[in-house]
Amino acid sequence: GGICTPSQWLTMDRLASDYGNDTMRLTTRQTFQLHGIVKHDIKPTIQAMHQQLMDSIAACGDVNRNVMCNPNPVEDKVHLEVYEWAKQISEHLLPNTRAYHEIWLDEDKVVGDTEEPVYSERYLPRKYKTVVAIPPYNDVDVFVHDMGFIAIVEGGQLQGFNVTVGGGMGMSFGDHATQARLAEVAGFITPDQVLEVAEEIVKIQRDFGNRDNRKLARFKYTIRERGLEWFNQELAERLGYALQPARPFEFISNGDRFGWHQGFDGNWHVNLFIENGRIKDNIKQGLQAIAKVHQGDLRITPNQNLIIANIAPEAKGQIESLLAEYGIDDGTQQSDTPVSSATRQNSMACVALPTCTLAMAESERFLPEFLGEIDALQQKHGLAEQAIHVRMTGCPNGCARPYIAEIGLVGKA
């Protein structure tokens, strides 16, 4: 869910300066990235994160990755309830191996194998990504992940979740068997069924995923080859009951709602626009100053932006003053200039060159310039108020989710 305390933010800020290239990056998976860390500084970096109760366990493993969720639990009590389910899914599906602790935290090696009730001795054929969405906002892009849960809310009460399976970004140039794929809605479950259903769905991929060809090892290919009907039958056999028919829902946006909003408890939160998630220069300095006085928390959005959340009413003026002092965009200063147009606010890029070794082309460094051209064209044709979703990646893995953008650009060499 991308939530961190001010103390955790200040730790990441310090690590970026002490060991990295003096910048941080907020990612499309609601996580931090640090860049430029040399090998002998990796261990103290991870140990400092651990001291602040942060980790990167299984961050690149063939297991369930971090669970994404709407980052705004302060909007109403249902958002808070749904976030708690996302948190439980994440903790339930974490691998039990102590290797992370042995390698990075100097924990003594344990004799004997660690029991893995979800992953067994094989783990998964490939990485696995889970998200939780709360209509009418689809900021997590639920249909492009292996497993998703769409909250069904009626009369202000959480009724349960529609379950989605088989989505995923990524493909390989020249290999037509690979493709980006949208997930399918499998059915509806009640909240008390969430953890059991999530575990059994992961186990289906563990047992039936392609282990011969890594390029075809994602859950989306298992669903594509075997079909949703087979999946529902297999899941029902494992659970002892079938999923209920999916319930109606509607999404109206997958972008962020910028500016100031007041939560159900009276506290305020402000959604900032952070271009491509890059925290540097005045933004880094300003957020450091805010984190030193902020009594709430900070939340990374799936669109690489940041929410300063749970601001007490009496502290709102102080946060507003700091944002103005450091020139940080609260997302409401839209104009037809390249600074924060509607299209720019809805754009995303992955890191790409020169940071990512998979990149074949530019992305983060080029997108701002490219959007200047788009902004000029929109202004010329009277479309400056229209938010065109532009997403750019340096390779076909799709970290900025370009395949579901209105304009998607994928680097190729």
Side-chain angles (χ1 to χ4, degrees):
I3 298 177
C4 73
T5 66
S7 178
Q8 289 171 334
W9 181 276
L10 290 171
T11 294
M12 297 303 294
D13 179 276
R14 176 179 62 80
L15 294 174
S17 298
D18 290 351
Y19 300 130
N21 63 1
D22 207 30
T23 76
M24 291 191 294
R25 202 172 192 280
L26 313 180
T27 79
T28 58
R29 293 207 57 78
Q30 299 180 283
T31 63
F32 290 101
Q33 280 184 359
L34 299 179
H35 298 140
I37 299 177
V38 296
K39 286 181 181 179
H40 64 72
D41 288 334
I42 294 176
K43 192 168 185 176
T45 298
I46 290 180
Q47 290 179 338
M49 289 163 45
H50 176 74
Q51 290 170 2
Q52 284 291 334
L53 304 182
M54 305 175 78
D55 68 75
S56 61
I57 294 174
C60 287
D62 291 331
V63 294
N64 185 69
R65 302 287 180 85
N66 68 303
V67 175
M68 295 172 62
C69 183
N70 182 294
N72 183 16
V74 297
E75 178 167 317
D76 55 42
K77 292 182 179 179
V78 170
H79 278 69
L80 184 59
E81 184 179 358
V82 171
Y83 168 75
E84 288 301 324
W85 280 114
K87 185 177 177 181
Q88 288 188 52
I89 293 170
S90 177
E91 293 174 351
H92 188 73
L93 297 179
L94 273 178
N96 289 334
T97 174
R98 303 300 296 179
Y100 177 91
H101 305 80
E102 293 167 6
I103 294 169
W104 303 115
L105 306 177
D106 298 324
E107 181 179 282
D108 291 335
K109 289 187 177 182
V110 179
V111 177
D113 296 330
T114 303
E115 183 181 357
E116 292 283 2
V118 176
Y119 300 108
S120 186
E121 75 281 358
R122 294 183 292 172
Y123 285 85
L124 301 180
R126 275 205 71 185
K127 60 185 177 182
Y128 197 90
K129 297 181 177 179
T130 301
V131 298
V132 181
I134 309 176
Y137 299 101
N138 186 24
D139 42 11
V140 297
D141 286 326
V142 66
F143 291 106
V144 292
H145 294 86
D146 298 274
M147 179 169 65
F149 297 88
I150 301 172
I152 303 300
V153 182
E154 298 174 1
Q157 300 294 319
L158 176 66
Q159 303 300 308
F161 299 89
N162 283 347
V163 179
T164 63
V165 293
M169 295 282 93
M171 44 83 73
S172 297
F173 290 131
D175 187 343
H176 299 297
T178 65
Q179 62 182 169
R181 187 180 190 276
L182 292 176
E184 300 175 67
V185 179
F188 173 83
I189 60 173
T190 55
D192 61 298
Q193 297 171 326
V194 166
L195 298 184
E196 181 182 29
V197 168
E199 178 177 330
E200 293 305 326
I201 293 176
V202 170
K203 286 180 177 178
I204 288 175
Q205 171 62 355
R206 179 197 69 189
D207 296 339
F208 291 97
N210 190 322
R211 293 183 183 271
D212 296 322
N213 184 343
R214 192 163 174 80
K215 289 186 177 181
L216 299 177
R218 293 292 299 275
F219 190 38
K220 61 182 176 180
Y221 299 119
T222 307
I223 298 297
R224 182 186 71 178
E225 299 306 320
R226 294 176 178 269
L228 187 63
E229 182 178 352
W230 167 87
F231 166 80
N232 276 328
Q233 291 176 350
E234 178 66 27
L235 182 60
E237 289 180 9
R238 291 168 179 254
L239 292 171
Y241 57 86
L243 302 188
Q244 299 178 39
R247 300 200 182 178
F249 63 92
E250 180 186 17
F251 287 129
I252 61 173
S253 168
N254 65 344
D256 288 337
R257 290 165 287 166
F258 295 104
W260 288 88
H261 304 275
Q262 193 167 22
F264 71 93
D265 56 0
N267 286 340
W268 287 89
H269 55 274
V270 57
N271 194 329
L272 308 177
F273 170 57
I274 310 292
E275 187 163 36
N276 294 324
R278 181 64 67 179
I279 306 295
K280 63 178 182 179
D281 303 332
N282 65 300
I283 296 176
K284 187 173 184 292
Q285 296 165 11
L287 291 174
Q288 181 187 94
I290 288 171
K292 288 179 178 178
V293 299
H294 181 40
Q295 298 299 308
D297 49 52
L298 301 100
R299 301 163 185 258
I300 303 169
T301 81
N303 292 297
Q304 301 173 312
N305 296 309
L306 184 71
I307 298 174
I308 303 173
N310 282 314
I311 302 169
E314 61 271 18
K316 183 172 182 284
Q318 183 183 28
I319 301 299
E320 286 179 314
S321 297
L322 287 169
L323 291 174
E325 178 183 346
Y326 288 92
I328 299 176
D329 188 356
D330 68 2
T332 63
Q333 317 301 320
Q334 287 191 8
S335 66
D336 55 9
T337 69
V339 177
S340 63
S341 66
T343 291
R344 190 172 294 268
Q345 288 180 357
N346 284 276
S347 67
M348 287 201 295
C350 71
V351 175
L353 296 174
T355 303
C356 178
T357 58
L358 300 175
M360 305 178 192
E362 292 284 356
S363 184
E364 179 186 347
R365 295 195 300 185
F366 175 65
L367 185 60
E369 175 187 340
F370 177 73
L371 289 175
E373 304 282 345
I374 298 293
D375 289 334
L377 284 170
Q378 287 189 253
Q379 181 70 13
K380 177 180 178 181
H381 295 287
L383 299 172
E385 300 302 316
Q386 296 293 322
I388 299 175
H389 287 237
V390 180
R391 295 177 178 179
M392 179 181 289
T393 61
C395 85
N397 287 309
C399 291
R401 304 192 286 275
Y403 303 106
I404 53 170
E406 293 173 314
I407 299 176
L409 297 154
V410 179
K412 186 176 183 180

